Amino acid sequence: MDPGMNQLLKWGIENSDATTVDPSASTDPTAERSSGRPLNSEALQALLGGPSNADLMKSSMAAIQSGEVPLDQKLVAFDNFEQLIENIDNANNMESLGLWTPLVELLGDEQAEIRRMAAWCIGTAVQNNERAQEKLVVFNAIPILVKLALGDSNEGVRKKATYALSSEIRNYQVGANIAIKALPESLKPKGHFDAGEMEAVDEVIQDIRDHAKHTLV
């Protein structure tokens, strides 16, 4: 049985038992169970016949990539996508859904707002998430983000690319090493760089911000 549907069945049994003993007990499927764990949202959506988070993520990306969807609607789809991947499970499902490739490709879109949102979503997905941080290495996205952070003509793109880099290199040495290698010599930290030292990370990120600000004025 599907794990989500199995949880639904368990919730139904527990809820039935609770209301038998106490007629005033809540029958709200979103309420916490006696174990303190809420009913899985995917299972609830399946019960109600709504799309799953995976379906919503795929449809959002399809809209973003479509040549028939106007820019303003693409940005709405991107905003929905970003909110979905704030959930670490959804962010980790991006790989199995085949969403990393198109997301990284959108960093090179001709529309600045699309590049900005792509960088924003990447930053959200990799924040405190080593599994997602690894994907930026696999898809060679870190040098692209460095290039955007330092040289994109749009300030919003630079800020979100810097945010993505900040999320990528914190507590993830492999990503940090790649980012530092992609930096110009003037921005490379002296000596060994420890991705677990937050002050060192903050200093590198601030140097990137300052360099872009002074270079593009």
Side-chain angles (χ1 to χ4, degrees):
M1 180 183 291
D2 176 80
M5 296 307 297
N6 187 49
Q7 187 183 4
L8 265 177
L9 178 59
K10 288 181 179 179
W11 177 86
I13 293 171
E14 291 171 2
N15 189 70
S16 177
D17 291 345
T19 52
T20 299
V21 176
D22 180 7
S24 66
S26 174
T27 58
D28 180 2
T30 62
E32 287 194 349
R33 299 180 297 167
S34 57
S35 63
R37 292 175 297 173
L39 181 62
N40 181 278
S41 61
E42 293 273 354
L44 181 57
Q45 287 170 329
L47 175 66
L48 300 177
S52 67
N53 286 340
D55 291 333
L56 293 171
M57 290 163 65
K58 289 190 292 185
S59 62
S60 293
M61 185 56 70
I64 294 163
Q65 292 183 290
S66 174
E68 299 179 358
V69 176
L71 179 61
D72 61 336
Q73 292 182 25
K74 288 185 178 186
L75 296 179
V76 171
F78 240 141
D79 187 58
N80 292 337
F81 185 83
E82 194 274 335
Q83 291 183 54
L84 284 164
I85 61 174
E86 287 179 353
N87 179 295
I88 194 169
D89 291 330
N90 290 339
N92 288 336
N93 282 339
M94 287 172 60
E95 179 185 11
S96 62
L97 297 174
L99 296 175
W100 272 112
T101 295
L103 182 58
V104 171
E105 289 177 348
L106 289 167
L107 291 172
D109 195 89
E110 62 181 15
Q111 293 278 358
E113 283 299 298
I114 296 296
R115 298 196 302 276
R116 182 181 70 85
M117 290 301 299
W120 189 357
C121 287
I122 287 173
T124 297
V126 304
Q127 192 170 50
N128 301 315
N129 184 353
E130 185 173 347
R131 182 171 163 185
Q133 287 171 316
E134 292 171 353
K135 296 307 165 190
L136 288 198
V137 175
V138 172
F139 289 97
N140 199 33
I142 299 173
I144 300 172
L145 289 167
V146 170
K147 184 177 180 180
L148 292 176
L150 293 175
D152 196 277
S153 60
N154 182 276
E155 182 181 7
V157 175
R158 297 196 303 272
K159 286 183 176 180
K160 292 305 180 184
T162 302
Y163 158 67
L165 286 171
S166 178
S167 296
E168 171 65 11
I169 71 175
R170 289 180 190 278
N171 295 309
Y172 185 53
Q173 194 67 46
V174 175
N177 292 343
I178 295 172
I180 289 169
K181 184 178 179 180
L183 291 173
E185 287 299 324
S186 62
L187 295 181
K188 293 183 189 296
K190 302 297 186 287
H192 174 68
F193 178 82
D194 185 349
E197 291 288 339
M198 293 302 100
E199 288 187 8
V201 172
D202 289 341
E203 184 175 344
V204 167
I205 294 302
Q206 188 58 52
D207 286 346
I208 291 173
R209 293 192 182 103
D210 293 342
H211 179 87
K213 186 185 301 182
H214 296 147
T215 301
L216 297 170
V217 168

